[in-house]
Amino acid sequence: MPVRVVPVPALEDNYMYVLIDEETKQCGVIDPVDAAAIQQAAEREGATITAILTTHSHWDHAGGNVELKKRCASVEVVYGGKNDGVAGCTQELDDGDTFALGNSTVQVLSTPCHTAGHICYLVDGNVFTGDTMFVSGCGNFNSGTPAQMASAFQKILALPDETLVWVGHEYTCKNCRFALFAEPDNEEIQRRLKWAESCHSWTVPSTIGDEKRCNPFARLGSLPMFENEPGGPAERMRLVRKAKDDWGRR
């Protein structure tokens, strides 16, 4: 049986997730900053929390780990990226590592840049991208380089187009407005912006195919700003990030 994903909003714009192995009703919780809310969500779904899956060490993602472990005796392990300093982490993970969640297998993608040990989780056609890839956007390069973010995007974008993308924050409207600024003739982005602005709740999940069509950080070879730019992926990633930052300060 497949896994099932239940999004749970937190703070101002964060996403937490309950990841349920349907056969066993064991679940992992992704970035449970609000321990009480994620525990209640799992209980509503009739699922038992056995693992905490942390994408990175920032407080708004890892800040509930220790409390949740105290609240839930069923939690067996707290996962985090290698050398990322995740609060409460009991098992660090690196690229290509796998682990069991009930009868499902979770694979780890190492995506350092936003933090030094940021990781994504891949399971049964779902990828949890934390603060690396957003819907039509990407995270800040806090601890890394444009080359690292370009490499992280290449790794994520290599997944099948139908893969569901579950992100760490609800930034979709703002991201789509910049995407349209960067590529004003892209009709897919025009439609996505209208859709995002009409939503009254979350805009997850996206898909890898959608991001290839509508995310400027995934379209480094297609943006008009690079028509006469000979730079490779790392330099283009740097320039798009700078353009987004400059645009955001307008």
Side-chain angles (χ1 to χ4, degrees):
M1 296 177 70
V3 299
R4 181 162 57 90
V5 179
V6 180
V8 183
L11 305 178
E12 183 177 348
D13 52 37
N14 278 70
Y15 283 120
M16 311 181 290
Y17 299 100
V18 182
L19 173 63
I20 304 168
D21 177 72
E22 289 281 60
E23 188 170 344
T24 64
K25 293 300 180 182
Q26 294 181 21
C27 73
V29 291
I30 290 101
D31 292 349
V33 61
D34 186 333
I38 203 75
Q39 183 179 21
Q40 290 167 6
E43 289 172 352
R44 284 195 301 270
E45 300 298 328
T48 300
I49 301 173
T50 59
I52 296 172
L53 286 61
T54 321
T55 61
H56 65 290
S57 58
H58 287 167
W59 173 86
D60 61 327
H61 295 260
N65 287 0
V66 173
E67 180 185 351
L68 184 59
K69 196 168 189 300
K70 289 178 180 177
R71 296 173 67 108
C72 290
S74 57
V75 173
E76 300 170 355
V77 60
V78 179
Y79 293 112
K82 185 177 179 181
N83 298 324
D84 206 45
V86 165
C89 182
T90 61
Q91 185 172 341
E92 291 190 336
L93 300 167
D94 207 350
D95 195 55
D97 286 344
T98 61
F99 60 89
L101 179 65
N103 291 336
S104 300
T105 299
V106 182
Q107 180 182 344
V108 176
L109 306 178
S110 179
T111 53
C113 184
H114 187 71
T115 63
H118 193 295
I119 56 176
C120 300
Y121 297 96
L122 176 66
V123 54
D124 191 32
N126 300 271
V127 64
F128 298 87
T129 58
D131 284 6
T132 292
M133 177 182 286
F134 298 129
V135 179
S136 287
C138 89
N140 292 321
F141 305 170
N142 295 321
S143 300
T145 66
Q148 285 182 311
M149 189 60 82
S151 176
F153 261 64
Q154 288 169 357
K155 188 177 294 185
I156 295 169
L157 292 170
L159 299 173
D161 281 1
E162 63 271 19
T163 304
L164 299 179
V165 179
W166 304 90
V167 303
H169 289 271
E170 180 52 58
Y171 294 157
T172 303
C173 284
K174 186 174 182 179
N175 285 345
C176 286
R177 292 183 190 115
F178 171 72
L180 195 57
F181 169 80
E183 200 173 357
D185 295 330
N186 186 319
E187 294 181 357
E188 295 271 7
I189 297 173
Q190 295 170 12
R191 285 191 288 270
R192 177 175 256 199
L193 176 57
K194 288 180 181 179
W195 166 78
E197 290 177 335
S198 71
C199 286
H200 300 293
S201 60
W202 47 64
T203 60
V204 290
S206 181
T207 68
I208 293 296
D210 288 337
E211 295 312 304
K212 287 179 179 178
R213 290 185 290 270
C214 297
N215 190 326
F217 297 92
R219 296 178 55 77
L220 301 178
S222 304
L223 300 179
M225 69 176 71
F226 296 133
E227 187 172 350
N228 298 309
E229 171 58 56
E235 177 61 8
R236 292 185 174 203
M237 180 65 76
R238 183 189 72 81
L239 290 171
V240 179
R241 180 72 261 175
K242 183 179 185 303
K244 172 75 182 298
D245 294 342
D246 292 345
W247 174 87
R249 286 192 288 267
R250 293 183 310 166

